[in-house]
Amino acid sequence: ATTWQLTRYSTGGGSAVASPIPGTNITLIFDDDGTLSGSAGCNAYSAPYRLNETGLAVERVIATKTSRTEPAGVMEQESAYLALLRSAAGYRIVGDTLAVIDGNGRAILFFTAEP
């Protein structure tokens, strides 16, 4: 399965995006068994997902409960990422880039495939 690496994510309304904090590694893997998983920067997470041609539904995201203070903001970034993931409604893959889209049609998470 492809490991997708988070490169940018939506911050609040509109089209504002931010890059992950340097030193945090946020990943997403879609397993064939209908589970997605990865690292949210500090904690590992997993969730069942349903996929069709352009639709994506993520349910019951479960994450481990480790807390970190370094780098600054890592836990806030993690909860923002998991909240965005829960709001996923669709996706687009162009080349080695994955965009996750919310119910309003906004791209909220941007990933690049790890080589």
Side-chain angles (χ1 to χ4, degrees), residues 72-85:
V74 64
M75 301 314 295
E76 293 81 357
Q77 172 179 274
E78 179 166 292
S79 52
Y81 169 73
L82 293 173
L84 289 168
L85 193 61

Side-chain angles (χ1 to χ4, degrees), residues 21-115:
I21 298 165
T24 60
N25 186 28
I26 299 180
T27 58
L28 174 63
I29 300 164
F30 292 102
D31 294 318
D32 295 336
D33 68 358
T35 306
L36 58 79
S37 61
S39 168
C42 172
N43 287 288
Y45 68 91
S46 65
Y49 74 94
R50 292 193 312 280
L51 210 54
N52 59 33
E53 284 168 22
T54 58
L56 170 63
V58 178
E59 301 165 18
R60 295 191 308 284
V61 177
I62 299 162
T64 54
K65 296 280 189 248
T66 310
S67 190
R68 278 175 46 186
T69 55
E70 299 289 320
V74 64
M75 301 314 295
E76 293 81 357
Q77 172 179 274
E78 179 166 292
S79 52
Y81 169 73
L82 293 173
L84 289 168
L85 193 61
R86 286 186 188 98
S87 69
Y91 69 98
R92 276 196 312 269
I93 295 177
V94 179
D96 64 353
T97 303
L98 164 68
V100 173
I101 298 159
D102 70 9
N104 299 319
R106 288 188 310 136
I108 52 173
L109 296 167
F110 300 88
F111 298 86
T112 303
E114 286 187 353

